[in-house]
Amino acid sequence: MTQPPESQATVVLVGGHESNNGADLSFAADLVPGALITPAGRPLHNTLTHLRGSSQIGSGAEPAPIVVLPMTFGRNPTLVADTAKTLSWLGVQGSSSGTASSPVPIVLADAFGTGDHLTAWLRAAATEVRRRAPEAAVLICADAANPFDDAELHRIAHLVRTHGAGNPVETATVDDTTGLLTALNRLRLLGSTQTVVVPAGFRRVASVRGKPVPFGEGGFADAGFYGALLSEQAVLRVIRERVRDALHNLGHGRTGIEAGLTADHGHGYAHSHAFEEANGHSHAHHHGAAGSHPHNHPIPIRSS
């Protein structure tokens, strides 16, 4: 019997705003034995440092590789880039046998999902809501993050609405239950008498930033929670695919870091050059040793 790929490596799942910094991924620890869940940044650095140190203490057997998997549905490319930076700072190199300073090989897996995946999964949810409650509106909801990641959710929601099942589809990125209630009231003003809230992330319970939402009561009386966007088995299947592909790449000396460092390129104002090009300003990238490329853009000044 073929061993599942996650049994051949230590899997580290990195959470961002789509999983309440990893808190909504706790169920994955039961699906992937030995998996570790951590936010990006210093916690990830500390987790990997500990794993590398502990893997060198033992019977002398070759240590299992570490697969680092950014758990984003594609709306948070900064999570991927930040994760890659952490691996770069740790001196991870393209070798299936680790480095001289640490024999533990580490590889960055592709992100859990992409924007196209999220669109397809949300369309499936909208279709299911239509089947369960034909008159209900769909409210795609996520914790507020930043203008660019939030805008991406609005774009995806528009695609779900345009190519969906015919039910009203709106979106909301909220900071608390008050924000969610405001979004529900907006749907009521538009004529909806019933709303199903669909999470655009890994949330599996009715909550906002970890705080329960009293669906069926008070201002939430005519609203309900869809449930998890993906089943546990679906999540496990995707994790296995990403781990399998990452181990394959590692066997060919590819750590995924170089691509990861540029994952957020074009995401946000800092990487948008359309204005410069429209005003006759060329743009060149100067890459450093770690793949960074500082931008020193002159501000075009149009004379009157």
Side-chain angles (χ1 to χ4, degrees), residues 98-135:
T99 66
S101 60
S102 173
V104 187
I106 303 179
V107 60
L108 176 62
D110 288 341
F112 178 88
T114 66
D116 288 344
H117 292 142
L118 181 57
T119 302
W121 290 326
L122 288 171
R123 285 182 63 190
T127 300
E128 178 62 15
V129 170
R130 182 74 164 179
R131 186 188 67 80
R132 293 184 196 173
E135 302 304 318

Side-chain angles (χ1 to χ4, degrees), residues 76-82 85 149 259-272 293:
N76 188 4
T78 304
L79 176 68
V80 180
D82 287 347
K85 290 173 187 175
D149 294 5
L261 288 170
T262 59
D264 60 347
H265 188 85
H267 187 70
Y269 292 131
H271 288 80
S272 178
H293 51 287

Side-chain angles (χ1 to χ4, degrees), residues 58-245:
S59 60
E62 184 176 337
I66 299 171
V67 177
V68 182
L69 174 52
M71 296 295 285
T72 171
F73 280 98
R75 288 199 305 117
N76 188 4
T78 304
L79 176 68
V80 180
D82 287 347
T83 300
K85 290 173 187 175
T86 297
L87 299 190
S88 180
W89 292 333
L90 285 170
V92 176
Q93 300 174 11
S95 170
S96 59
S97 58
T99 66
S101 60
S102 173
V104 187
I106 303 179
V107 60
L108 176 62
D110 288 341
F112 178 88
T114 66
D116 288 344
H117 292 142
L118 181 57
T119 302
W121 290 326
L122 288 171
R123 285 182 63 190
T127 300
E128 178 62 15
V129 170
R130 182 74 164 179
R131 186 188 67 80
R132 293 184 196 173
E135 302 304 318
V138 172
L139 179 62
I140 298 172
C141 189
D143 291 349
N146 60 68
F148 305 105
D149 294 5
D150 292 352
E152 176 65 4
L153 184 58
H154 283 268
R155 183 190 72 83
I156 289 172
H158 176 71
L159 295 175
V160 174
R161 179 168 52 249
T162 302
H163 303 292
N167 36 359
V169 176
E170 297 295 333
T171 186
T173 52
V174 301
D175 288 309
D176 49 31
T177 54
T178 301
L180 178 57
L181 184 58
T182 298
L184 291 171
N185 286 335
R186 186 167 62 246
L187 276 166
R188 293 182 184 111
L189 291 174
L190 292 173
S192 296
T193 58
Q194 184 182 3
T195 300
V196 176
V197 177
V198 178
F202 293 96
R203 186 147 301 148
R204 312 190 77 76
V205 297
S207 63
V208 174
R209 299 196 188 281
K211 296 183 179 180
V213 178
F215 286 116
E217 303 175 8
F220 299 94
D222 56 356
F225 183 63
Y226 175 79
L229 182 60
L230 296 179
S231 69
E232 291 187 356
Q233 286 306 305
V235 172
L236 177 59
R237 183 169 61 251
V238 175
I239 290 175
R240 283 178 170 172
E241 290 174 356
R242 300 295 178 266
V243 172
R244 182 184 300 110
D245 290 345

